[in-house]
Amino acid sequence: MTALELQTSKQSLIESILSIEDAETLEKVKKYIHRICKSGVAKTEDRPGPLVMTDEAFRETVIRSTQEFRNGGKTCPNTTVR
């Protein structure tokens, strides 16, 4: 990411934070940002963040979520993701 892209991304994040109207949501965002910075994840680009998953795991999650949605929020036990 270039310096200009990084600055643009930061500005976008700031604007998103400024648009938050709910104190509870703002507090959650604040805690999350502090936790990321404290853990060093934000400082190390070669280390994946907490939400990184393989393509296969992502596909399985999407399929499972779709099944849950179709079943009214409940996944049938012992279903196989294909």
Side-chain angles (χ1 to χ4, degrees), residues 1-3 7 33 41 54 63-64 66-67 77:
M1 180 178 286
T2 67
Q7 189 63 29
I33 290 172
V41 172
T54 65
I63 291 169
R64 194 173 309 114
T66 303
Q67 289 173 343

Side-chain angles (χ1 to χ4, degrees), residues 15-49:
E15 290 171 5
S16 295
I17 292 170
L18 290 173
S19 72
I20 297 172
E21 298 292 332
D22 177 26
E24 183 179 334
T25 302
L26 186 60
E27 188 61 29
K28 287 178 182 179
V29 169
K30 180 180 169 184
K31 286 179 181 180
Y32 183 70
I33 290 172
H34 286 290
R35 189 175 73 218
I36 290 173
C37 292
K38 187 176 181 180
S39 70
V41 172
K43 299 175 187 172
T44 308
E45 290 184 31
D46 60 342
R47 185 171 46 174

Side-chain angles (χ1 to χ4, degrees), residues 53-71:
M53 62 175 71
T54 65
D55 289 343
E56 184 63 28
F58 177 74
R59 283 186 198 98
E60 289 178 6
T61 300
V62 170
I63 291 169
R64 194 173 309 114
S65 297
T66 303
Q67 289 173 343
E68 285 182 20
F69 177 77
R70 288 181 180 154
N71 292 327

